[in-house]
């Protein structure tokens, strides 16, 4: 290893320099998100990988790029609280939250949200490695505590738990208002993350609909381990229809039915719940960089389920409107929106990852 150290240091230096130089450039310098026609064959397929299969250099380069996004100016947001493109991604998730959860377009919406994120990493921060996912089943199946997972590593991961006593959750003046509530699960904001690359991250939106400058918070919890074991994910994969599949992945409780007993939660919510803090918030969960690794895993399981029978590449269902769960169903031509950060797409464009505009698979 000793012979490799100087070149490792050199590469880290180059990465740091590109980061600093790059941060003075305008945000959108790369090719347009929409340069290809949906449904076209891909000229290149990117493979997404589990975090622990990345090399140390790939991990460091990914973390560099994530930190770079936290310095890039917003693309089009006119909200003065939005200081950078990281905040603008969060703003998009806040604004679209009611149209993207507990509904049939939950999986396709998040598939495009990940694509937007990946494109930003590539175009604005020159990250060309694999988009990583976090297979929580590996950690949940093991006998070790979650905090010993490589995902929480202080250098080659995303830092550790919240530190008690370092964060005071603000009061939500609308806590019981079904529309304006920030949906804060108060006992899950243990404290600020004080280790790792995001120890000094300042989030400018949230938690929830509150607008406060705050640290990244967590409260890593073992309690929900059984709901993210590989068995829990396999149970979803065994479902015969999209309708059954999506309900085995995500069955987000409708406000105000936030359960005190989380044992009924599905793997999607549980992935949020095991990390705690910002990641538990309905609106502002993308403040924690782990959001994207968790959602890439959800997307991977949908991809796996689709691979089992190619007829599933057009199987979509579920209510289109969270306020009318017995109303119209989502369809391939349902349009989904992404705030100021990217153009609309249809559900149909998000079905086959082997075609434009997606062009990826999972290892
Ligand atoms: C939560 O619910 C499950 C089953 O519904 C039950 O087995 C468990 O004891 C409950 N836990 C608590 C803390 O109430
Ligand atoms: C995007 O879709 C939304 C509906 O989800 C619609 O209100 C909006 O006008 C669309 N925007 C564009 C530019 O087509
Ligand atoms: Cu979401």
């Amino acid at each position: 290893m000793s012979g490799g150290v100087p070149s490792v240091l050199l590469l880290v230096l180059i990465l740091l320099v590109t980061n600093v130089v790059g941060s003075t450039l305008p945000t959108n310098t790369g090719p347009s998100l929409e340069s290809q026609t949906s449904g076209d064959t891909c000229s290149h397929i990117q493979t997404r990988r589990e975090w622990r299969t990345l090399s140390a250099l790939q991990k460091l380069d990914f973390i560099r790029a994530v930190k770079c996004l936290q310095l890039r100016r917003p693309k089009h947001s006119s909200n003065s609280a939005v200081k950078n493109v990281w905040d603008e991604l969060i703003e998009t998730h806040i604004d679209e939250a009611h149209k993207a959860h507990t509904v049939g377009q939950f999986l396709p919406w998040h598939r495009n949200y990940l694509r937007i994120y990946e494109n930003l990493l590539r175009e604005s921060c020159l990250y060309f490695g694999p988009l990583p996912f976090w297979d929580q089943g590996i950690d949940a199946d093991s006998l070790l505590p979650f905090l010993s997972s490589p995902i929480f590593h202080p250098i080659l991961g995303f830092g550790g738990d919240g530190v008690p006593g370092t964060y005071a959750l603000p009061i939500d003046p609308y806590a019981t208002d079904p529309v304006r509530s920030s949906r804060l699960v108060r006992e899950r904001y243990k404290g600020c993350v004080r280790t790792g690359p995001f120890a000094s991250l300042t989030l400018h939106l949230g938690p929830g609909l509150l607008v406060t400058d705050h640290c990244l918070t967590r409260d890593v919890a073992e309690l929900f381990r059984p709901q993210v074991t590989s068995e829990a994910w396999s149970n979803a994969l065994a479902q015969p229809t999209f309708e059954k599949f999506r309900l085995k992945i995500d069955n987000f409780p409708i406000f105000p039915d936030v359960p005190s007993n989380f044992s009924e939660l599905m793997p999607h919510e549980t992935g949020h719940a095991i990390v705690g803090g910002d990641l538990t918030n309905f609106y502002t969960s993308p403040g924690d960089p782990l959001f994207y690794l968790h959602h890439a895993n959800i997307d991977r399981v949908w991809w796996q389920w689709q691979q089992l029978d190619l007829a599933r590449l057009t199987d979509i269902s579920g209510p289109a409107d969270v306020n009318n769960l017995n109303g119209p169903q989502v369809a391939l031509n349902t349009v989904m929106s992404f705030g100021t950060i990217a153009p609309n797409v249809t559900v149909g464009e998000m079905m086959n990852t082997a075609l434009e505009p997606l062009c990826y698979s999972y290892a």
Side-chain angles (χ1 to χ4, degrees), residues 96 99 335-337 344:
E96 306 295 331
K99 290 181 273 174
V335 175
M336 303 183 291
S337 50
N344 287 353

Side-chain angles (χ1 to χ4, degrees), residues 261-264:
N261 181 345
F262 286 85
S263 72
E264 301 297 312

Side-chain angles (χ1 to χ4, degrees), residues 171-193:
I171 298 296
D172 177 4
Y174 307 111
T176 57
D177 179 323
V179 178
R180 290 189 289 177
S181 170
S182 284
R183 306 188 184 197
L184 306 176
V185 184
R186 300 201 71 87
E187 57 274 22
R188 299 304 314 283
Y189 289 81
K190 184 163 77 181
C192 300
V193 171

Side-chain angles (χ1 to χ4, degrees), residues 98-99 103-105 317-325 327-331 334:
H98 289 268
K99 290 181 273 174
V103 288
Q105 62 271 34
S317 62
D321 180 355
V322 70
N323 296 314
N324 188 6
L325 292 179
Q329 293 269 307
V330 66
T334 300

Side-chain angles (χ1 to χ4, degrees), residues 236-278:
L237 278 178
Q239 301 305 310
T241 62
F242 181 78
E243 191 58 13
K244 291 192 162 137
F245 172 76
R246 76 173 185 90
L247 290 169
K248 278 283 181 223
I249 289 284
D250 167 65
N251 202 355
F252 204 86
I254 310 280
F255 185 86
D257 299 336
V258 178
S260 53
N261 181 345
F262 286 85
S263 72
E264 301 297 312
L265 291 186
M266 294 300 157
H268 161 245
E269 298 86 76
T270 308
H272 289 264
I274 61 177
V275 176
D278 288 282

Side-chain angles (χ1 to χ4, degrees), residues 22-31 68-77 83-86 88 116 119-126 341:
S23 67
T24 60
L25 295 172
T27 304
N28 195 355
T29 51
C68 160
L69 279 188
Q70 295 162 356
L71 298 171
R72 283 289 184 279
R73 27 181 129 124
K75 287 170 83 80
H76 304 293
S77 176
K83 305 295 184 205
N84 52 54
V85 80
W86 191 258
E88 195 176 12
I116 295 164
N119 281 331
L120 286 167
L121 288 168
R122 300 208 192 294
E123 294 172 9
S124 302
C125 293
L126 306 179
I341 205 129

Side-chain angles (χ1 to χ4, degrees), residues 19-42:
N19 194 359
V20 171
V21 172
S23 67
T24 60
L25 295 172
T27 304
N28 195 355
T29 51
S32 153
L33 288 178
E34 301 305 305
S35 56
Q36 299 290 331
T37 307
S38 291
D40 280 2
T41 310
C42 301

Side-chain angles (χ1 to χ4, degrees), residues 70 74 77-96 113 167 169-170 182 184 189 201-217 277-279 281-288 292 339-341:
Q70 295 162 356
S77 176
S78 55
N79 179 345
S80 62
V82 169
K83 305 295 184 205
N84 52 54
V85 80
W86 191 258
D87 292 336
E88 195 176 12
L89 282 161
I90 299 169
E91 183 190 39
T92 298
H93 193 268
I94 296 171
D95 291 349
E96 306 295 331
Y113 189 68
Y167 180 66
L169 188 66
S182 284
L184 306 176
Y189 289 81
L201 173 62
T202 300
L203 300 164
H204 303 103
L205 299 178
L209 300 176
L210 306 176
V211 179
T212 64
D213 283 2
H214 67 287
C215 63
L216 173 62
T217 60
D278 288 282
L279 198 62
N281 193 263
F282 177 67
Y283 294 105
T284 48
S285 48
D288 191 327
Y292 296 96
T340 55
I341 205 129

